[in-house]
Amino acid sequence: MGGWAIAVHGGAGVDPNLPAERQKQAKELLTRCLNIGISALRSSLPAIDVVELVVRELESDPLFNSGRGSALTANGTVEMEASIMDGDGRRCGAVSGISTVKNPISLARLIMDKSPHSYLGFSGAEEFAKQQGVEMVDNEYFITEDNVGMLKLAKEANTILFDYRIPLTGLDSCASSVESPIRMNGLPISVYAPETVGCVVVDGQGRCAAATSTGGLMNKMTGRIGDSPLIGAGTYAGELCGVSCTGEGEAIIRGTLARDVAAVMEYKELGLQEAVDFVIKKRLDKGFAGLIAVSNKGEVAYGFNCNGMFRGCATEDGFMDVGIW
Ligand code: ASP
């Protein structure tokens, strides 16, 4: 075994004009989360506890699209989704349609640990959360001013937005003041892109785990379920690796991206980075996405087929990297 390793992401698909200040904020948050994970790993916390801890931190910060700051449904509400998987024993838990649980990732963990099931959604999941005594808040807690502005824009453009986040300030002028190559229904889009979050970890004992959490897509239909809560699509961890995906959920589901990384390692005996490159190239038809992965040998890898992905990683031998493009 090659020691512990950790990777985090804050979403794939980035505005080429992303302002320096926003890039700085994203990098700071990713670095903070990596450091939380690193100290937990140094204190010998198991991989499954580390991914939960790190994703909780990401959910609590409004910068990315998970927990507070989640993307809004067409009705202006928040319906969050999350999943977690422990490669040690291949146990998993997932939630969808969460509107009042402060940290959906911890509810997914409780479903894994304390329920007879793997996946609960909507009122049943909220009911289970109450029984378990997890921290609950009003739906308004998750709704930020930026996202209200984004939803307005998405509605005006009559579109569902993937990874595009426009700040409320300057919204009216952004069409003329920001030069963006991306257009939706003729509307220039300024992409302030932090999106879905995820964390993958291999601990010092070679146990892999993965966790993913999201608000989904801006202006999504209520009831829409993406890849993030789906084990095998957005999240997977087994004996060999842990994987968390981000990007266009419908394309990730069709490509079963997370499980396929593990499958080509198992059945084609590819190395971690080779497996990631293979899956991004072969399994992503007509869609964009990215993913982060760790192997039980202490390696980290990532890949994406769009212009960028907010990400960071660190390994036990002292390597640390945070990047966007
Ligand atoms: N994959 C997420 C979804 O489709 C969105 C994202 O990763 O940004 O819900």
Side-chain angles (χ1 to χ4, degrees):
M1 295 298 158
W4 57 253
I6 176 169
V8 291
H9 73 73
V14 186
D15 178 3
N17 302 314
L18 187 71
E21 181 54 28
R22 202 74 177 205
Q23 296 188 32
K24 191 167 155 265
Q25 285 170 357
K27 284 184 175 173
E28 278 168 6
L29 177 55
L30 291 167
T31 306
R32 189 170 87 222
C33 289
L34 278 179
N35 284 328
I36 289 171
I38 291 168
S39 10
L41 283 160
R42 286 191 181 139
S43 320
S44 301
L45 237 67
I48 188 71
D49 290 344
V50 181
V51 293
E52 183 187 352
L53 191 70
V54 169
V55 169
R56 279 179 68 94
E57 183 71 17
L58 288 160
E59 285 175 343
S60 303
D61 192 299
L63 190 65
F64 293 158
N65 170 15
S66 68
R68 181 141 189 273
S70 278
L72 307 177
T73 68
N75 289 351
T77 55
V78 163
E79 291 182 0
M80 296 168 288
E81 317 193 274
S83 66
I84 189 164
M85 185 159 187
D86 189 352
D88 185 29
R90 272 189 276 122
R91 300 179 318 124
C92 60
V95 288
S96 281
I98 298 301
S99 53
T100 62
V101 174
K102 193 162 177 230
N103 290 106
I105 198 65
S106 293
L107 184 59
R109 173 80 190 263
L110 283 167
I111 289 166
M112 175 175 104
D113 287 342
K114 302 258 167 73
S115 88
H117 304 300
S118 309
Y119 188 3
L120 293 178
F122 299 87
S123 57
E126 300 267 337
E127 192 51 44
F128 179 70
K130 270 184 219 140
Q131 283 165 18
Q132 294 296 317
V134 304
E135 191 175 354
M136 300 182 78
V137 287
D138 285 344
N139 199 239
E140 282 70 51
Y141 160 84
F142 302 102
I143 300 173
T144 61
E145 228 187 320
D146 269 6
N147 284 341
V148 171
M150 275 285 284
L151 179 64
K152 183 170 168 270
L153 200 97
K155 280 183 176 294
E156 276 166 19
N158 189 28
T159 191
I160 295 162
L161 301 182
F162 294 82
D163 287 280
Y164 310 131
R165 175 165 304 217
I166 299 170
L168 189 62
T169 44
L171 187 64
D172 294 338
S173 58
C174 80
S176 54
S177 69
V178 177
E179 268 189 43
S180 170
I182 298 165
R183 286 179 174 266
M184 282 187 179
N185 293 353
L187 191 70
I189 302 291
S190 170
V191 191
Y192 278 61
E195 268 290 332
T196 293
V197 305
C199 179
V200 291
V201 164
V202 55
D203 63 25
Q205 296 185 38
R207 293 172 298 204
C208 298
T212 312
S213 182
T214 190
L217 304 181
M218 183 65 73
N219 201 22
K220 67 182 181 181
M221 291 170 67
T222 58
R224 181 260 186 186
I225 291 172
D227 62 296
S228 307
L230 299 184
I231 297 298
T235 306
Y236 187 78
E239 272 169 30
L240 296 183
C241 64
V243 184
S244 171
C245 301
T246 169
E248 189 186 343
E250 284 70 11
I252 298 170
I253 293 169
R254 287 197 300 275
T256 53
L257 289 203
R259 170 59 196 158
D260 266 31
V261 171
V264 293
M265 288 180 77
E266 277 170 47
Y267 303 131
K268 276 173 82 74
E269 295 183 10
L270 298 190
L272 184 72
Q273 186 68 57
E274 267 181 307
V276 168
D277 294 343
F278 180 91
V279 166
I280 294 282
K281 198 160 167 226
K282 301 273 185 198
R283 302 291 293 165
L284 260 181
D285 58 323
K286 293 181 249 124
F288 80 84
L291 60 87
I292 53 170
V294 289
S295 79
N296 65 351
K297 293 185 185 145
E299 302 156 309
V300 283
Y302 65 85
F304 48 87
N305 70 347
C306 45
N307 64 342
M309 177 171 73
F310 294 91
R311 64 190 183 276
C313 63
T315 54
E316 189 166 355
D317 57 16
F319 174 77
M320 185 160 168
D321 184 47
V322 173
I324 300 178
W325 313 107

